[in-house]
């Protein structure tokens, strides 16, 4: 059984053969596009058509719609987690706030998948989601600790608290994504260390 600390390779179940991997990635990209459009009821046949593959190829990779949704979710989590490493060369505050800005974008795009993601109740999928959550927290925690050690961010906050704060901001309805980024900037200012 998978643990919450499971690495990305175990969570994603990507195929190893080059041609199968190409088809897998095309299907994930087509599914992401379909599920984030205004009409979120795209059929699996439509997704296969968008990816330029047959429905049999889709079912070989994703036996159910939930399997495809899970793959898209894991792919997004992996990309966001990797981005924390890419930001590590920035100054601690800039690295943390840039990653949290990306997190807001990630949560906003996941709204389209939320109903399907949380409708899945089987134990194996819940373990995958817990592993993804752990992966995100580990990525953000490294940036948070770095900023705390630099004396820039309060010592009394945890990544779990910040993720809840940022997740709530990301869910605020806004016509312009810049509005949520401004609310995020104001909220994050409260994380700064201030001498008493």
């Amino acid at each position: 059984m998978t643990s919450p600390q499971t690495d990305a390779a175990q969570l994603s179940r990507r195929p190893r053969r080059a041609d199968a991997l190409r088809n897998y990635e095309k299907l994930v990209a087509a599914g992401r596009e379909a599920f984030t459009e205004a009409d979120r009821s795209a059929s699996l046949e439509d997704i296969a058509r968008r990816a330029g593959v047959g429905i049999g190829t889709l079912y070989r990779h994703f036996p159910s719609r939930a399997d495809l949704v899970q793959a898209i979710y894991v792919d997004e989590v992996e990309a966001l987690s990797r981005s924390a490493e890419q930001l590590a060369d920035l100054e601690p505050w800039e690295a943390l706030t840039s990653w949290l800005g990306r997190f807001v974008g990630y949560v906003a795009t996941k709204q389209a998948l939320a109903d399907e993601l949380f409708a899945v109740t089987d134990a194996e999928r819940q373990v995958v989601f817990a592993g993804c959550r752990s992966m995100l927290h580990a990525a953000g925690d490294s940036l948070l600790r770095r900023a705390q050690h630099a004396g820039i961010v309060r010592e009394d906050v945890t990544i779990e608290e910040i993720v809840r704060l940022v997740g709530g901001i990301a869910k605020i309805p806004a016509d312009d994504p810049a509005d949520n980024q401004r609310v995020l900037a104001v909220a994050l200012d409260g994380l700064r260390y201030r001498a008493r």
Side-chain angles (χ1 to χ4, degrees):
M1 186 166 185
T2 312
S3 76
Q5 274 62 22
T6 302
D7 66 24
Q10 289 175 296
L11 291 174
S12 67
R13 298 183 183 163
R14 283 186 176 80
R16 297 190 193 282
R17 276 190 13 241
D19 59 335
L21 181 59
R22 271 192 305 275
N23 286 338
Y24 177 97
E25 289 173 347
K26 285 195 278 186
L27 287 162
V28 168
R32 180 184 303 111
E33 179 182 296
F35 293 145
T36 56
E37 291 175 352
D39 176 15
R40 299 168 186 167
S41 60
S43 69
L44 293 179
E45 290 79 7
D46 179 49
I47 292 168
R49 199 170 23 261
R50 287 175 189 237
V53 301
I55 190 67
T57 299
L58 183 145
Y59 280 118
R60 271 194 299 282
H61 289 289
F62 308 109
S64 71
R65 186 178 182 91
D67 291 318
L68 177 58
V69 170
Q70 176 181 307
I72 295 166
Y73 175 74
V74 169
D75 191 64
E76 293 290 312
V77 167
E78 289 173 348
L80 183 58
S81 296
R82 280 191 308 273
S83 75
E85 295 171 19
Q86 297 161 357
L87 295 168
D89 291 338
L90 299 176
E91 292 298 318
W93 177 254
E94 187 180 352
L96 176 63
T97 57
S98 294
W99 187 79
L100 291 170
R102 291 179 184 188
F103 188 89
V104 166
Y106 155 80
V107 172
T109 62
K110 291 296 126 293
Q111 292 301 307
L113 294 174
D115 290 341
E116 294 198 48
L117 281 173
F118 296 113
V120 176
T121 57
D122 71 64
E124 182 181 343
R125 287 191 214 289
Q126 294 308 316
V127 169
V128 169
F129 295 149
C132 287
R133 194 170 34 257
S134 177
M135 193 186 317
L136 280 176
H137 284 189
D141 194 52
S142 66
L143 297 174
L144 173 62
R145 287 179 186 273
R146 188 169 157 244
Q148 287 172 326
H149 290 192
I152 298 166
V153 171
R154 300 164 44 153
E155 292 283 339
D156 64 338
V157 294
T158 66
I159 195 61
E160 290 82 8
E161 293 168 332
I162 295 171
V163 164
R164 283 200 310 260
L165 169 77
V166 172
I169 291 169
K171 293 174 185 174
I172 297 171
D175 293 331
D176 182 355
D179 293 343
N180 283 2
Q181 290 295 330
R182 174 161 165 59
V183 173
L184 176 66
V186 170
L188 293 182
D189 194 49
L191 295 178
R192 288 183 185 270
Y193 172 78
R194 289 175 177 82
R196 296 177 189 224

PDB file of all heavy atoms in Angstrom, residues 3 32 35 39 52 55-56 60 62-63 94 97 102 116 124-125 134 141 153-154 173 177 181-182 186 195:
ATOM      1  N   SER A   3       2.149   4.993   0.921  1.00  0.00           N
ATOM      2  CA  SER A   3       2.111   5.864   2.096  1.00  0.00           C
ATOM      3  C   SER A   3       1.981   7.303   1.641  1.00  0.00           C
ATOM      4  O   SER A   3       2.256   7.620   0.492  1.00  0.00           O
ATOM      5  CB  SER A   3       3.408   5.691   2.895  1.00  0.00           C
ATOM      6  OG  SER A   3       4.454   6.361   2.239  1.00  0.00           O
ATOM      7  N   ARG A  32      -7.194  17.740 -19.041  1.00  0.00           N
ATOM      8  CA  ARG A  32      -7.052  18.985 -18.281  1.00  0.00           C
ATOM      9  C   ARG A  32      -7.785  20.119 -18.996  1.00  0.00           C
ATOM     10  O   ARG A  32      -8.534  20.881 -18.387  1.00  0.00           O
ATOM     11  CB  ARG A  32      -5.582  19.347 -18.116  1.00  0.00           C
ATOM     12  CG  ARG A  32      -5.346  20.631 -17.331  1.00  0.00           C
ATOM     13  CD  ARG A  32      -3.870  21.018 -17.253  1.00  0.00           C
ATOM     14  NE  ARG A  32      -3.070  19.966 -16.675  1.00  0.00           N
ATOM     15  CZ  ARG A  32      -2.171  19.235 -17.355  1.00  0.00           C
ATOM     16  NH1 ARG A  32      -1.967  19.453 -18.628  1.00  0.00           N
ATOM     17  NH2 ARG A  32      -1.473  18.308 -16.751  1.00  0.00           N
ATOM     18  N   PHE A  35     -11.652  19.525 -18.810  1.00  0.00           N
ATOM     19  CA  PHE A  35     -12.249  19.677 -17.488  1.00  0.00           C
ATOM     20  C   PHE A  35     -12.151  21.093 -16.944  1.00  0.00           C
ATOM     21  O   PHE A  35     -12.775  21.405 -15.947  1.00  0.00           O
ATOM     22  CB  PHE A  35     -11.615  18.707 -16.494  1.00  0.00           C
ATOM     23  CG  PHE A  35     -11.915  17.261 -16.784  1.00  0.00           C
ATOM     24  CD1 PHE A  35     -10.970  16.287 -16.538  1.00  0.00           C
ATOM     25  CD2 PHE A  35     -13.144  16.876 -17.296  1.00  0.00           C
ATOM     26  CE1 PHE A  35     -11.247  14.951 -16.794  1.00  0.00           C
ATOM     27  CE2 PHE A  35     -13.418  15.537 -17.551  1.00  0.00           C
ATOM     28  CZ  PHE A  35     -12.468  14.574 -17.305  1.00  0.00           C
ATOM     29  N   ASP A  39     -17.932  24.205 -19.961  1.00  0.00           N
ATOM     30  CA  ASP A  39     -18.743  22.989 -19.928  1.00  0.00           C
ATOM     31  C   ASP A  39     -17.835  21.850 -19.498  1.00  0.00           C
ATOM     32  O   ASP A  39     -16.992  21.398 -20.258  1.00  0.00           O
ATOM     33  CB  ASP A  39     -19.337  22.701 -21.315  1.00  0.00           C
ATOM     34  CG  ASP A  39     -20.101  21.387 -21.347  1.00  0.00           C
ATOM     35  OD1 ASP A  39     -20.408  20.845 -20.265  1.00  0.00           O
ATOM     36  OD2 ASP A  39     -20.381  20.904 -22.458  1.00  0.00           O
ATOM     37  N   GLY A  52      -6.204  12.967 -29.997  1.00  0.00           N
ATOM     38  CA  GLY A  52      -5.797  12.342 -31.260  1.00  0.00           C
ATOM     39  C   GLY A  52      -5.516  10.857 -31.134  1.00  0.00           C
ATOM     40  O   GLY A  52      -4.690  10.305 -31.861  1.00  0.00           O
ATOM     41  N   ILE A  55     -10.453   5.557 -28.537  1.00  0.00           N
ATOM     42  CA  ILE A  55     -11.028   5.367 -27.207  1.00  0.00           C
ATOM     43  C   ILE A  55     -10.399   4.162 -26.503  1.00  0.00           C
ATOM     44  O   ILE A  55     -10.234   4.157 -25.275  1.00  0.00           O
ATOM     45  CB  ILE A  55     -12.571   5.245 -27.273  1.00  0.00           C
ATOM     46  CG1 ILE A  55     -13.187   5.301 -25.863  1.00  0.00           C
ATOM     47  CG2 ILE A  55     -12.996   3.977 -27.993  1.00  0.00           C
ATOM     48  CD1 ILE A  55     -13.037   6.619 -25.169  1.00  0.00           C
ATOM     49  N   GLY A  56      -9.984   3.154 -27.274  1.00  0.00           N
ATOM     50  CA  GLY A  56      -9.315   1.989 -26.682  1.00  0.00           C
ATOM     51  C   GLY A  56      -8.004   2.383 -26.006  1.00  0.00           C
ATOM     52  O   GLY A  56      -7.666   1.860 -24.937  1.00  0.00           O
ATOM     53  N   ARG A  60      -7.063   1.938 -22.060  1.00  0.00           N
ATOM     54  CA  ARG A  60      -5.881   1.192 -21.617  1.00  0.00           C
ATOM     55  C   ARG A  60      -5.137   1.963 -20.533  1.00  0.00           C
ATOM     56  O   ARG A  60      -4.614   1.391 -19.589  1.00  0.00           O
ATOM     57  CB  ARG A  60      -4.936   0.911 -22.798  1.00  0.00           C
ATOM     58  CG  ARG A  60      -5.251  -0.376 -23.514  1.00  0.00           C
ATOM     59  CD  ARG A  60      -4.139  -0.809 -24.447  1.00  0.00           C
ATOM     60  NE  ARG A  60      -3.862   0.141 -25.510  1.00  0.00           N
ATOM     61  CZ  ARG A  60      -4.588   0.293 -26.622  1.00  0.00           C
ATOM     62  NH1 ARG A  60      -5.648  -0.475 -26.803  1.00  0.00           N
ATOM     63  NH2 ARG A  60      -4.253   1.152 -27.544  1.00  0.00           N
ATOM     64  N   PHE A  62      -6.567   4.712 -18.782  1.00  0.00           N
ATOM     65  CA  PHE A  62      -7.495   5.181 -17.755  1.00  0.00           C
ATOM     66  C   PHE A  62      -8.800   4.396 -17.858  1.00  0.00           C
ATOM     67  O   PHE A  62      -9.698   4.772 -18.606  1.00  0.00           O
ATOM     68  CB  PHE A  62      -7.765   6.684 -17.941  1.00  0.00           C
ATOM     69  CG  PHE A  62      -6.505   7.501 -18.024  1.00  0.00           C
ATOM     70  CD1 PHE A  62      -6.114   8.068 -19.234  1.00  0.00           C
ATOM     71  CD2 PHE A  62      -5.696   7.677 -16.918  1.00  0.00           C
ATOM     72  CE1 PHE A  62      -4.948   8.799 -19.326  1.00  0.00           C
ATOM     73  CE2 PHE A  62      -4.528   8.408 -16.998  1.00  0.00           C
ATOM     74  CZ  PHE A  62      -4.153   8.974 -18.214  1.00  0.00           C
ATOM     75  N   PRO A  63      -8.917   3.300 -17.113  1.00  0.00           N
ATOM     76  CA  PRO A  63     -10.113   2.461 -17.195  1.00  0.00           C
ATOM     77  C   PRO A  63     -11.408   3.187 -16.819  1.00  0.00           C
ATOM     78  O   PRO A  63     -12.486   2.748 -17.197  1.00  0.00           O
ATOM     79  CB  PRO A  63      -9.822   1.328 -16.213  1.00  0.00           C
ATOM     80  CG  PRO A  63      -8.336   1.301 -16.074  1.00  0.00           C
ATOM     81  CD  PRO A  63      -7.880   2.723 -16.270  1.00  0.00           C
ATOM     82  N   GLU A  94      10.752  36.174  -1.677  1.00  0.00           N
ATOM     83  CA  GLU A  94      10.285  36.123  -3.066  1.00  0.00           C
ATOM     84  C   GLU A  94       9.987  34.687  -3.490  1.00  0.00           C
ATOM     85  O   GLU A  94       8.997  34.415  -4.172  1.00  0.00           O
ATOM     86  CB  GLU A  94      11.313  36.768  -4.002  1.00  0.00           C
ATOM     87  CG  GLU A  94      10.822  36.891  -5.417  1.00  0.00           C
ATOM     88  CD  GLU A  94      11.836  37.524  -6.354  1.00  0.00           C
ATOM     89  OE1 GLU A  94      12.884  38.007  -5.883  1.00  0.00           O
ATOM     90  OE2 GLU A  94      11.570  37.508  -7.566  1.00  0.00           O
ATOM     91  N   THR A  97       6.633  33.598  -1.648  1.00  0.00           N
ATOM     92  CA  THR A  97       5.427  34.263  -2.156  1.00  0.00           C
ATOM     93  C   THR A  97       5.172  33.926  -3.626  1.00  0.00           C
ATOM     94  O   THR A  97       4.016  33.840  -4.041  1.00  0.00           O
ATOM     95  CB  THR A  97       5.486  35.786  -1.944  1.00  0.00           C
ATOM     96  OG1 THR A  97       6.654  36.323  -2.581  1.00  0.00           O
ATOM     97  CG2 THR A  97       5.487  36.121  -0.459  1.00  0.00           C
ATOM     98  N   ARG A 102       1.656  30.785  -7.289  1.00  0.00           N
ATOM     99  CA  ARG A 102       1.386  29.658  -8.184  1.00  0.00           C
ATOM    100  C   ARG A 102       0.354  28.725  -7.568  1.00  0.00           C
ATOM    101  O   ARG A 102      -0.476  28.150  -8.273  1.00  0.00           O
ATOM    102  CB  ARG A 102       2.681  28.896  -8.485  1.00  0.00           C
ATOM    103  CG  ARG A 102       3.650  29.678  -9.329  1.00  0.00           C
ATOM    104  CD  ARG A 102       4.917  28.898  -9.586  1.00  0.00           C
ATOM    105  NE  ARG A 102       5.865  29.718 -10.332  1.00  0.00           N
ATOM    106  CZ  ARG A 102       6.996  29.263 -10.832  1.00  0.00           C
ATOM    107  NH1 ARG A 102       7.336  27.990 -10.672  1.00  0.00           N
ATOM    108  NH2 ARG A 102       7.791  30.068 -11.491  1.00  0.00           N
ATOM    109  N   GLU A 116     -15.528  16.167  -9.002  1.00  0.00           N
ATOM    110  CA  GLU A 116     -15.128  14.803  -9.346  1.00  0.00           C
ATOM    111  C   GLU A 116     -14.043  14.286  -8.418  1.00  0.00           C
ATOM    112  O   GLU A 116     -14.051  13.121  -8.027  1.00  0.00           O
ATOM    113  CB  GLU A 116     -14.664  14.756 -10.802  1.00  0.00           C
ATOM    114  CG  GLU A 116     -15.807  15.052 -11.755  1.00  0.00           C
ATOM    115  CD  GLU A 116     -15.543  14.608 -13.167  1.00  0.00           C
ATOM    116  OE1 GLU A 116     -15.101  13.459 -13.346  1.00  0.00           O
ATOM    117  OE2 GLU A 116     -15.791  15.404 -14.069  1.00  0.00           O
ATOM    118  N   GLU A 124      -7.833   3.466  -2.103  1.00  0.00           N
ATOM    119  CA  GLU A 124      -6.595   3.666  -2.864  1.00  0.00           C
ATOM    120  C   GLU A 124      -6.482   5.105  -3.343  1.00  0.00           C
ATOM    121  O   GLU A 124      -5.432   5.728  -3.246  1.00  0.00           O
ATOM    122  CB  GLU A 124      -6.535   2.714  -4.065  1.00  0.00           C
ATOM    123  CG  GLU A 124      -5.242   2.850  -4.847  1.00  0.00           C
ATOM    124  CD  GLU A 124      -5.186   1.928  -6.049  1.00  0.00           C
ATOM    125  OE1 GLU A 124      -5.970   0.966  -6.112  1.00  0.00           O
ATOM    126  OE2 GLU A 124      -4.361   2.186  -6.929  1.00  0.00           O
ATOM    127  N   ARG A 125      -7.565   5.662  -3.868  1.00  0.00           N
ATOM    128  CA  ARG A 125      -7.523   7.052  -4.338  1.00  0.00           C
ATOM    129  C   ARG A 125      -7.300   8.024  -3.192  1.00  0.00           C
ATOM    130  O   ARG A 125      -6.602   9.020  -3.328  1.00  0.00           O
ATOM    131  CB  ARG A 125      -8.801   7.403  -5.094  1.00  0.00           C
ATOM    132  CG  ARG A 125      -8.849   6.761  -6.448  1.00  0.00           C
ATOM    133  CD  ARG A 125      -9.968   7.327  -7.279  1.00  0.00           C
ATOM    134  NE  ARG A 125     -10.536   6.330  -8.152  1.00  0.00           N
ATOM    135  CZ  ARG A 125      -9.943   5.819  -9.211  1.00  0.00           C
ATOM    136  NH1 ARG A 125      -8.741   6.215  -9.546  1.00  0.00           N
ATOM    137  NH2 ARG A 125     -10.541   4.912  -9.944  1.00  0.00           N
ATOM    138  N   SER A 134       0.721  15.616   0.894  1.00  0.00           N
ATOM    139  CA  SER A 134       2.006  15.558   1.584  1.00  0.00           C
ATOM    140  C   SER A 134       3.125  16.128   0.707  1.00  0.00           C
ATOM    141  O   SER A 134       4.007  16.850   1.180  1.00  0.00           O
ATOM    142  CB  SER A 134       2.295  14.103   1.968  1.00  0.00           C
ATOM    143  OG  SER A 134       3.550  13.989   2.565  1.00  0.00           O
ATOM    144  N   ASP A 141       6.852  23.699   2.539  1.00  0.00           N
ATOM    145  CA  ASP A 141       7.514  23.780   3.841  1.00  0.00           C
ATOM    146  C   ASP A 141       8.988  24.134   3.695  1.00  0.00           C
ATOM    147  O   ASP A 141       9.531  24.890   4.503  1.00  0.00           O
ATOM    148  CB  ASP A 141       7.349  22.469   4.609  1.00  0.00           C
ATOM    149  CG  ASP A 141       7.715  22.610   6.076  1.00  0.00           C
ATOM    150  OD1 ASP A 141       7.192  23.533   6.729  1.00  0.00           O
ATOM    151  OD2 ASP A 141       8.538  21.814   6.560  1.00  0.00           O
ATOM    152  N   VAL A 153       9.968  35.600   7.964  1.00  0.00           N
ATOM    153  CA  VAL A 153       8.606  35.117   8.209  1.00  0.00           C
ATOM    154  C   VAL A 153       8.480  34.696   9.663  1.00  0.00           C
ATOM    155  O   VAL A 153       9.418  34.131  10.246  1.00  0.00           O
ATOM    156  CB  VAL A 153       8.275  33.933   7.265  1.00  0.00           C
ATOM    157  CG1 VAL A 153       6.961  33.279   7.635  1.00  0.00           C
ATOM    158  CG2 VAL A 153       8.229  34.402   5.824  1.00  0.00           C
ATOM    159  N   ARG A 154       7.317  34.965  10.241  1.00  0.00           N
ATOM    160  CA  ARG A 154       7.022  34.581  11.616  1.00  0.00           C
ATOM    161  C   ARG A 154       7.338  33.105  11.843  1.00  0.00           C
ATOM    162  O   ARG A 154       7.061  32.274  10.997  1.00  0.00           O
ATOM    163  CB  ARG A 154       5.543  34.812  11.907  1.00  0.00           C
ATOM    164  CG  ARG A 154       5.075  36.218  11.763  1.00  0.00           C
ATOM    165  CD  ARG A 154       3.578  36.316  11.694  1.00  0.00           C
ATOM    166  NE  ARG A 154       2.897  35.482  12.687  1.00  0.00           N
ATOM    167  CZ  ARG A 154       1.710  35.742  13.182  1.00  0.00           C
ATOM    168  NH1 ARG A 154       1.042  36.802  12.779  1.00  0.00           N
ATOM    169  NH2 ARG A 154       1.157  34.945  14.061  1.00  0.00           N
ATOM    170  N   PRO A 173     -14.609  34.113  -5.482  1.00  0.00           N
ATOM    171  CA  PRO A 173     -15.009  34.412  -6.862  1.00  0.00           C
ATOM    172  C   PRO A 173     -14.474  35.784  -7.284  1.00  0.00           C
ATOM    173  O   PRO A 173     -14.600  36.753  -6.546  1.00  0.00           O
ATOM    174  CB  PRO A 173     -16.539  34.431  -6.813  1.00  0.00           C
ATOM    175  CG  PRO A 173     -16.900  33.757  -5.530  1.00  0.00           C
ATOM    176  CD  PRO A 173     -15.753  33.955  -4.593  1.00  0.00           C
ATOM    177  N   PRO A 177      -8.308  37.529 -12.206  1.00  0.00           N
ATOM    178  CA  PRO A 177      -7.402  36.806 -11.302  1.00  0.00           C
ATOM    179  C   PRO A 177      -6.462  37.738 -10.532  1.00  0.00           C
ATOM    180  O   PRO A 177      -6.012  37.405  -9.442  1.00  0.00           O
ATOM    181  CB  PRO A 177      -6.611  35.896 -12.240  1.00  0.00           C
ATOM    182  CG  PRO A 177      -7.462  35.742 -13.452  1.00  0.00           C
ATOM    183  CD  PRO A 177      -8.242  37.013 -13.577  1.00  0.00           C
ATOM    184  N   GLN A 181      -4.839  37.883  -6.536  1.00  0.00           N
ATOM    185  CA  GLN A 181      -3.408  38.049  -6.265  1.00  0.00           C
ATOM    186  C   GLN A 181      -3.187  39.225  -5.308  1.00  0.00           C
ATOM    187  O   GLN A 181      -2.319  39.174  -4.442  1.00  0.00           O
ATOM    188  CB  GLN A 181      -2.629  38.250  -7.573  1.00  0.00           C
ATOM    189  CG  GLN A 181      -2.552  37.001  -8.442  1.00  0.00           C
ATOM    190  CD  GLN A 181      -1.776  35.861  -7.802  1.00  0.00           C
ATOM    191  OE1 GLN A 181      -0.853  36.068  -7.019  1.00  0.00           O
ATOM    192  NE2 GLN A 181      -2.143  34.631  -8.141  1.00  0.00           N
ATOM    193  N   ARG A 182      -3.998  40.276  -5.443  1.00  0.00           N
ATOM    194  CA  ARG A 182      -3.874  41.421  -4.532  1.00  0.00           C
ATOM    195  C   ARG A 182      -4.296  41.029  -3.112  1.00  0.00           C
ATOM    196  O   ARG A 182      -3.617  41.377  -2.137  1.00  0.00           O
ATOM    197  CB  ARG A 182      -4.732  42.595  -5.022  1.00  0.00           C
ATOM    198  CG  ARG A 182      -4.749  43.748  -4.040  1.00  0.00           C
ATOM    199  CD  ARG A 182      -5.180  45.063  -4.609  1.00  0.00           C
ATOM    200  NE  ARG A 182      -5.523  46.038  -3.597  1.00  0.00           N
ATOM    201  CZ  ARG A 182      -4.731  46.488  -2.645  1.00  0.00           C
ATOM    202  NH1 ARG A 182      -3.509  46.025  -2.542  1.00  0.00           N
ATOM    203  NH2 ARG A 182      -5.140  47.389  -1.772  1.00  0.00           N
ATOM    204  N   VAL A 186      -1.884  41.029   0.359  1.00  0.00           N
ATOM    205  CA  VAL A 186      -2.250  41.642   1.643  1.00  0.00           C
ATOM    206  C   VAL A 186      -2.193  40.597   2.757  1.00  0.00           C
ATOM    207  O   VAL A 186      -1.641  40.841   3.838  1.00  0.00           O
ATOM    208  CB  VAL A 186      -3.658  42.283   1.555  1.00  0.00           C
ATOM    209  CG1 VAL A 186      -4.142  42.711   2.929  1.00  0.00           C
ATOM    210  CG2 VAL A 186      -3.648  43.460   0.589  1.00  0.00           C
ATOM    211  N   ALA A 195       9.585  42.616  14.716  1.00  0.00           N
ATOM    212  CA  ALA A 195      10.164  42.637  16.078  1.00  0.00           C
ATOM    213  C   ALA A 195       9.156  43.284  17.028  1.00  0.00           C
ATOM    214  O   ALA A 195       8.496  44.245  16.669  1.00  0.00           O
ATOM    215  CB  ALA A 195      11.464  43.416  16.064  1.00  0.00           C
TER     216      ALA A 195
END
